Amino acid sequence: MAGASIKEMDPEHGVAYVREAPIEALPPPASERGALGWLRANFFATPLDAALSVVLLLLLAWIVPPLLDFLLFNAVWTGKDREACLVGPDRPEVGACWAFVRDRFAYFIYGSYPVAERWRVDIFFAMLAIGIVWLLKLNAPRRDLGAFYFFVIVPIVSYILLNGSEMLGLRRVDTAVWGGMLVTIVVAWVGIVVSLPAGILLALGRRSRMPAVKLFSVIFIEFVRGVPLITVLFMASVMLPLFVPEQWSPDKLLRALVGIALFASAYMAEVVRAGLQAIPKGQYEGAMAVGLSYSQMMRLIILPQALRVTIPNIVNSYIALFKDTTLVFIVGIFDFLKAIEAARIDPIWSTPVTSTTGYAFAAIVYFILCYLMSAYAKNMEARLAVADKR
Amino acid sequence: MDQKVIAGAPPTTSSGDLAVEIVGMHKWFGEFHVLRDINLTVRRGERIVVCGPSGSGKSTMIRCINRLEEHQKGRIIVDGIELTSDLKRIDEIRREVGMVFQHFNLFPHLTVLENCTLAPIWVRKMPREEAEKTAMHFLTRVKIPEQAHKYPGQLSGGQQQRVAIARALCMHPKIMLFDEPTSALDPEMVKEVLDTMVQLAEDGMTMLVVTHEMGFARQVAHRVVFMDAGQIVEVNRPDEFFAHPKHERTKLFLSQILH
């Protein structure tokens, strides 16, 4: 403000300072603009930054080319059996054996579900996809109907569809032959569908003024959270049959589903509780003062706000749950990972690269599904940030 | 603000028709004795301003009237119904008692109109159309009908507080409680809220107002209640209260706030 001080000193004017013309906005200096400015700001801002950038670049140069070689350039795309993926005179180096994945793809998706009945699984996937899109698209019409469809209709219809029903002329398919992505999706979806309502009830129970309800919620949440999922699954599949008579003993998959649902509910309860705690006391008072009952207050005022702020955390627990479903193979259930596991030791496709290919495929599939969920959560967070500025 | 006192003598004692009756009420927060032997009756149509230093228990007292706080001893009778832990009675009383808070407590996820129609629809079981008509009527009265479809976060503090008043009025309450309604507002918004409250007073609403706005008290109140340390220290007509305070504590308080 050199100009200002000069004028300030000027004895003739006698005023402190008056601006006579506004200052026009100027573009930033050249070093701040363009690709060069961007590089400088993001990669070479300080000597430490520059060093880190160089190290990372070297690391990428070391990892990426061989990875691409394996996954793409040296990969085998077609073939009928292991011969296609063996090192031979015309093929000095063999990358991923995608021929194996293509050959076994149906098995990865359906497990041993009878081939003639697989259309039922396809319908199940389609129904689920419709429900997910309906619920997740914020401007979709009648999302309340969508919730009813997703949480009530789809479970009932898909139970009948997948399990079979003599009455409707659908052949019974024992859960023992279910497998692959079908089982992974069923387990994850049951966990997701059960854990949100159950978690909300447990969270409300934990904040309840009724001592019995509160005690039950706290004991349940803390007990389940204090035990590893594997233990819960073992409990569900080994201990449960001890308590109920043999002919009543539920199906193996069902037992695992119960275990996963209990586990996910306890975690969801804590996520929802965090959301409830973020709601200021004034909201409760405002709701009570206009005469709303407890359930109306929760349903209309508190939960809508609490769940909105927790959506990213809810999706986060869904991602964790989705990956945790792989643990069901420990109690002998054929999920997606287990299907790959079984296929890779099949002698027909036994080559040095089969296992690596199978695991790479599993990693890619899990990554894509989890990334979709986290991308949605991120998008949701951005929308909420905009909504909060209103 | 013009200091014209609202016409209308306080309702006569003979009517015997009491809106609120508090008898020998005590309250403790843990070991701390916040309210001590409170006795106060409010007649229908009467307007009472409660003032006193912070921490004197004035907010707690009016929050006891719609059971946002629970009293431990004594009786509170609102509109002929005694407050007990019976949830049905509490709901009944809350339907008849409107409340306006210092921090508005509007529901941020609902529009202004939805804020106003929520309770009539869910508590009074009013059809949506009728509730919206009522809401627009009161939003017009508080002079913000054009904001009906905005969210509370888009309004200024003064506008939000006027919405809060409209929201309470939509339940057609018999009694209105105001808990420091202007304390959280920017100075230039205080007047619009006070004007709304004066208008409400002119319509004959029974009002209990906790406030530091002494001009408002002078203009609107039938009686001024002064509280200190959890006790009612002095109750008087506003002209007497301001001109000739009796109690030492009242004199000190007034000398500090009326420079």
Side-chain angles (χ1 to χ4, degrees), chain A residues 209 281-293 296 299-302 304-305 308 389-390, chain B residues 63 66 68 91 94 97 99 101 105-110 118-119 122-123 125 151 153-154 167 171:
Chain A
R209 284 201 197 153
K281 198 166 146 244
Q283 289 293 308
Y284 291 87
E285 292 182 349
M288 285 191 277
V290 292
L292 296 181
S293 68
Q296 287 171 338
R299 206 153 36 87
L300 301 169
I301 306 298
I302 306 301
Q305 296 185 62
R308 254 174 55 127
K389 276 190 205 126
R390 284 196 300 238
Chain B
R63 286 159 59 87
N66 67 349
L68 289 183
D91 284 343
R94 283 180 182 159
V97 179
M99 183 152 194
F101 299 87
N105 297 355
L106 293 175
F107 309 130
H109 62 304
L110 301 176
L118 186 87
W122 290 91
V123 180
K125 311 288 176 209
Y151 285 87
Q154 295 167 294
R167 176 177 76 179
M171 286 291 282

Side-chain angles (χ1 to χ4, degrees), chain B residues 53-109:
Chain B
S54 61
S56 59
K58 47 197 195 309
S59 285
T60 309
M61 181 184 78
I62 73 159
R63 286 159 59 87
C64 282
I65 295 173
N66 67 349
R67 197 65 162 198
L68 289 183
E69 301 287 352
E70 198 175 322
H71 63 285
Q72 276 105 21
K73 210 173 148 203
R75 298 166 37 145
I76 300 178
I77 299 153
V78 183
D79 194 33
I81 307 166
E82 178 163 3
L83 261 177
T84 60
S85 42
D86 181 357
L87 287 176
K88 246 185 162 165
R89 288 194 193 182
I90 295 174
D91 284 343
E92 222 172 301
I93 286 171
R94 283 180 182 159
R95 277 199 289 270
E96 306 306 331
V97 179
M99 183 152 194
V100 175
F101 299 87
Q102 180 177 0
H103 296 287
F104 330 134
N105 297 355
L106 293 175
F107 309 130
H109 62 304

